[in-house]
Amino acid sequence: MTAGLHLPTVVVVSGAFIACGLLIAFLRWRRHRPGFISVTDQATYETLHTASVAARHLADGYTDEGCERAAPFLRAMLATPALALCDRSSVLVWDGEGRHHLPAVMDQGQSVLSSGRTLVLGPESVTCSSLECPLRAAVLAPVSVEGRVIGLIAGFGPAASAGLARAAEEVASWVATQVELAELSHQRTRAMEAELRALRAQISPHFIYNSLAAIASFVRTDPARARELLLEFADFTRYALRRDGAFTTVSEELRNVERYLVLEQARFGERLGITLKIAPEVLPVRVPYLAIQPLVENAVRHGLAPKEGPGQITLSAIDHGTDAEFAVDDDGVGADPEVIRKVLDGQSRADSVGLGNVDARLRQVYGEEFGLVVDTAPEAGMRVSFRVPKYSPALEEPA
């Protein structure tokens, strides 16, 4: 009986020791096992992740909505019970405890907004009648962009320290950097939109004149052909001058290329040979509007038009699984590679058709590695190609 009564206790106690030993061994193994991050690594990751999320909310600049969404993450970066974001005229957002301190923020921050210097406030300035409120001090740091103070960040807590003051200044500087990046992005976007408007308006007067002249030449000899060409010309100009959206499908872009080539063939006749190699899988892919047609126009105008005798253009659209590749080859007069380099670098305006324009817009949408690739030499023809992902979040236009 006695042995029977004590045996389970011994087993349980022994099991507890074994469990503790296993737990200790596991923790040691976990600490040193590759793939598990240390406490320091975890803290670093969390800080970077918090900053990354806050940056996404500030992508449009120092806006009311962006500041409201970014505030919780900025407060986490400062590790304060409360945080306020202000512009030059008002408090944009208060995040955290002690919201009853909000009305005093703008008065407290006037010197920061005017001088651009960080201000530390103690209990004599951050007054409160509530015993439960943890806010008894604050650090107000200016958000300065290009020498202008556009607002301030105020971190509120139980006490102000040199560490908090430094942290507030660093976070304010980081926010200012995000605002500057947003402004640069906006400027670049506006520049790209201006370039696109210019490209729309850049339908060559010579092309228009030559197309209409070619159409007129068929009016008496072949009225049906003239009518067909006139409709193609109307559809081409309607597409080229449209205003709805910066993106289109490969199918729509190639249809406009086809219109363009029909009109050019009416002028060049047998001098212009055309080969199309189109993979059906790429037809639904969305690409920047007027990304392919200017490359074909460049091949006709600068490659084949100056050439004596017939010339050949080959347009390829190739499926590469997650990517699509487009290429325009011609056996025309070619060009000096240095001239093309300057065009793509924006150092030359000799590119009247738009190689530089297309290259800049591709890089703007997809990233710097997705620009045009040009292979050419004098009297050796030219190949212009680019490769894009078949899906990119950048191509999702707002409804």
Side-chain angles (χ1 to χ4, degrees):
M1 288 288 291
T2 303
L5 288 172
H6 289 284
L7 181 59
T9 305
V10 174
V11 173
V12 170
V13 172
S14 300
F17 277 112
I18 293 172
C20 289
L22 289 174
L23 179 59
I24 293 170
F26 171 76
L27 291 175
R28 289 176 178 172
W29 170 78
R30 176 175 173 176
R31 183 183 306 165
H32 298 289
R33 178 175 181 250
F36 283 85
I37 60 178
S38 66
V39 174
T40 302
D41 292 338
Q42 179 69 24
T44 302
Y45 166 78
E46 290 176 356
T47 301
L48 292 174
H49 177 70
T50 301
S52 174
V53 176
R56 289 201 293 269
H57 296 313
L58 295 172
D60 288 331
Y62 203 69
T63 64
D64 293 7
E65 182 179 359
C67 287
E68 183 175 358
R69 293 183 176 182
F73 303 98
L74 298 177
R75 183 164 68 87
M77 292 167 68
L78 280 182
T80 55
L83 175 138
L85 290 174
C86 310
D87 60 15
R88 294 194 63 87
S89 60
S90 64
V91 178
L92 300 180
V93 59
W94 179 281
D95 186 77
E97 303 178 46
R99 190 177 181 83
H100 51 275
H101 286 276
L102 187 154
V105 174
M106 288 308 297
D107 289 338
Q108 294 167 339
Q110 284 305 311
S111 64
V112 177
L113 295 172
S114 59
S115 69
R117 297 175 182 172
T118 299
L119 177 65
V120 178
L121 301 176
E124 69 281 358
S125 299
V126 185
T127 58
C128 184
S129 59
S130 173
L131 297 177
E132 296 180 355
C133 179
L135 310 186
R136 292 294 183 268
V139 175
L140 287 68
V143 178
S144 300
V145 177
E146 297 181 351
R148 293 181 302 111
V149 178
I150 65 168
L152 63 84
I153 289 180
F156 288 81
S161 64
L164 177 59
R166 181 64 183 273
E169 290 176 341
E170 291 296 331
V171 171
S173 176
W174 180 85
V175 169
T177 300
Q178 302 309 309
V179 174
E180 289 176 347
L181 290 174
E183 181 58 28
L184 286 174
S185 178
H186 292 160
Q187 290 176 2
R188 189 174 182 185
T189 299
R190 288 193 293 269
M192 290 301 102
E193 290 173 348
E195 289 281 359
L196 185 54
R197 288 194 297 270
L199 191 61
R200 288 187 179 111
Q202 201 180 41
I203 298 176
S204 169
H206 296 289
F207 168 71
I208 295 175
Y209 174 81
N210 291 331
S211 295
L212 293 176
I215 293 169
S217 70
F218 288 104
V219 169
R220 290 186 179 179
T221 59
D222 193 345
R225 178 81 186 280
R227 189 180 307 109
E228 176 187 344
L229 291 174
L230 191 58
L231 291 174
E232 295 285 6
F233 179 77
D235 288 340
F236 172 82
T237 54
R238 186 181 300 112
Y239 178 86
L241 298 176
R242 76 175 196 174
R243 293 292 186 269
D244 54 334
F247 305 104
T248 186
T249 64
V250 171
S251 178
E252 291 176 341
E253 186 77 358
L254 292 181
R255 180 68 185 96
N256 200 55
V257 169
E258 185 180 354
R259 297 184 189 107
Y260 170 79
L261 290 173
V262 166
L263 293 166
E264 290 289 41
Q265 273 193 318
R267 179 163 69 101
F268 285 100
E270 294 182 356
R271 282 189 58 201
L272 177 58
I274 301 166
T275 301
L276 301 179
K277 300 178 180 179
I278 311 299
E281 294 84 357
V282 307
L283 293 177
V285 174
R286 286 169 61 77
V287 293
Y289 161 73
L290 289 180
I292 302 175
Q293 185 272 327
L295 309 185
V296 177
E297 185 174 349
N298 180 78
V300 173
R301 287 187 57 196
H302 297 297
L304 300 187
K307 178 183 178 180
E308 294 184 5
Q312 182 72 30
I313 289 179
T314 301
L315 171 58
S316 306
I318 307 167
D319 178 47
H320 288 290
T322 58
D323 293 346
E325 182 182 11
F326 305 92
V328 178
D329 295 86
D330 71 75
D331 59 358
V333 299
D336 183 344
E338 183 62 19
V339 172
I340 298 299
R341 185 191 67 77
K342 289 182 178 179
V343 166
L344 298 183
D345 287 346
Q347 300 174 9
S348 171
R349 303 301 297 175
D351 173 39
S352 59
V353 175
L355 283 186
N357 181 293
V358 173
D359 179 69
R361 288 190 293 122
L362 288 172
R363 294 178 189 276
Q364 163 72 6
V365 172
Y366 300 103
E368 289 299 324
E369 68 274 24
F370 288 100
L372 294 180
V373 177
V374 181
D375 296 314
T376 188
E379 305 304 325
M382 183 179 293
R383 175 183 175 85
V384 182
S385 63
F386 65 92
R387 189 166 178 151
V388 299
K390 290 166 74 172
Y391 171 76
S392 173
L395 272 66
E396 294 300 317
E397 296 181 298

